[in-house]
């Protein structure tokens, strides 16, 4: 049976989630966050810049800026998406067995509904993010993140919150999300 290009890329992305080379992106964000004493939504601004291909805001410490730039260029060429989308997926995917995963997923769905509708309503699809993870449809999730601004912004906001709480409380920060 022959696989489509999309299926092949999705399989490769699934394996990329296990590749520690991409951990440098999260480390670069955390190091930049710590160095410049980031506050609420500063991580959001940083990842928005990375998404736009602007790397100048990342600290040059440990060559993080150059590493993120190279990984982003590779990822855009290979998959057609920014490395920051993959970093966010990878971060949330790591938490899928934790107590806070359901809370994070509901937060993403709720914020997406608010951004899209302008109203504080319960989301129509609470599994807007988690369904893709459960089905291991990483290419579909990357595509949705790229094409739907309200969805991408919601994920970025929750990622910002996750980074701030982990900075403040360390690994135990996950419990503070509940």
């Amino acid at each position: 049976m022959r696989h489509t290009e999309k299926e092949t890329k999705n399989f490769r992305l699934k394996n990329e989630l296990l590749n520690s080379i991409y951990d440098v992106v999260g480390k670069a964000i955390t190091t930049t966050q710590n160095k410049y004493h980031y506050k609420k939504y500063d991580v959001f601004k940083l990842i928005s810049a990375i998404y736009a291909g602007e790397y100048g805001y990342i600290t040059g410490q440990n060559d993080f800026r150059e590493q993120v730039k190279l990984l982003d260029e590779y990822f855009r060429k290979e998959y057609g998406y920014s490395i920051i989308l993959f970093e966010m997926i990878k971060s949330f995917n790591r938490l899928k067995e934790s107590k806070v995963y359901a809370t994070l997923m509901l937060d993403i769905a709720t914020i997406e509904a608010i951004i899209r509708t302008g109203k504080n309503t319960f989301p129509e699809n609470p599994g807007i993010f988690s369904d893709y993870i459960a089905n291991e449809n990483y290419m579909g999730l990357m595509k949705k993140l790229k094409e739907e601004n309200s969805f991408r912004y919601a994920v970025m906001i929750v990622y910002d919150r996750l980074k701030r709480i982990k900075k403040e409380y360390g690994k135990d920060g996950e419990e503070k999300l509940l």
Side-chain angles (χ1 to χ4, degrees):
M1 184 172 138
R2 218 160 148 76
H3 295 285
T4 66
E5 181 181 352
K6 183 179 175 184
E7 290 171 329
T8 301
K9 283 187 176 183
N10 193 68
F11 178 76
R12 288 179 52 218
L13 269 178
K14 180 180 173 183
N15 289 321
E16 297 280 30
L17 287 168
L18 305 172
N19 190 341
S20 62
I21 191 74
Y22 297 107
D23 292 347
V24 74
V25 178
K27 289 176 186 172
I29 292 167
T30 299
T31 302
T32 302
Q33 173 187 18
N34 292 338
K35 182 176 181 176
Y36 297 111
H37 309 288
Y38 275 11
K39 305 285 187 245
K40 190 174 187 177
Y41 301 122
D42 286 342
V43 170
F44 176 91
K45 293 173 192 172
L46 176 63
I47 60 179
S48 293
I50 295 169
Y51 182 77
E54 299 171 16
Y55 313 103
Y57 300 102
I58 302 168
T59 183
Q61 183 179 334
N62 297 333
D63 289 325
F64 281 132
R65 185 178 305 131
E66 190 61 28
Q67 291 180 64
V68 170
K69 180 182 177 191
L70 290 171
L71 285 171
D72 193 45
E73 288 171 352
Y74 164 77
F75 224 78
R76 288 177 193 265
K77 180 181 173 214
E78 195 65 28
Y79 296 103
Y81 300 104
S82 173
I83 190 67
I84 200 61
L85 300 181
F86 181 73
E87 162 59 22
M88 291 186 299
I89 291 169
K90 186 172 179 162
S91 292
F92 291 120
N93 191 53
R94 281 185 185 142
L95 296 172
K96 71 181 174 187
E97 301 300 323
S98 73
K99 297 176 188 175
V100 299
Y101 184 72
T103 302
L104 293 169
M105 297 302 104
L106 187 57
D107 285 353
I108 289 170
T110 302
I111 294 168
E112 186 279 334
I114 292 169
I115 293 170
R116 184 175 33 79
T117 66
K119 298 175 184 170
N120 192 359
T121 61
F122 192 77
E124 302 91 40
N125 180 5
I128 193 169
F129 189 98
S130 59
D131 289 350
Y132 285 94
I133 298 292
N135 295 319
E136 296 181 338
N137 183 1
Y138 304 110
M139 283 301 289
L141 182 53
M142 298 277 272
K143 181 179 181 190
K144 186 172 183 71
L145 283 165
K146 182 178 180 179
E147 293 177 353
E148 295 181 22
N149 291 341
S150 60
F151 183 54
R152 183 174 62 252
Y153 294 152
V155 173
M156 289 173 155
I157 289 168
V158 175
Y159 181 84
D160 174 278
R161 184 171 146 217
L162 181 64
K163 283 295 212 182
R164 281 184 291 109
I165 289 173
K166 282 192 171 205
K167 176 186 176 205
E168 188 173 340
Y169 299 102
K171 287 196 176 252
D172 296 333
E174 291 175 17
E175 299 304 317
K176 299 294 181 188
L177 288 166
L178 289 174

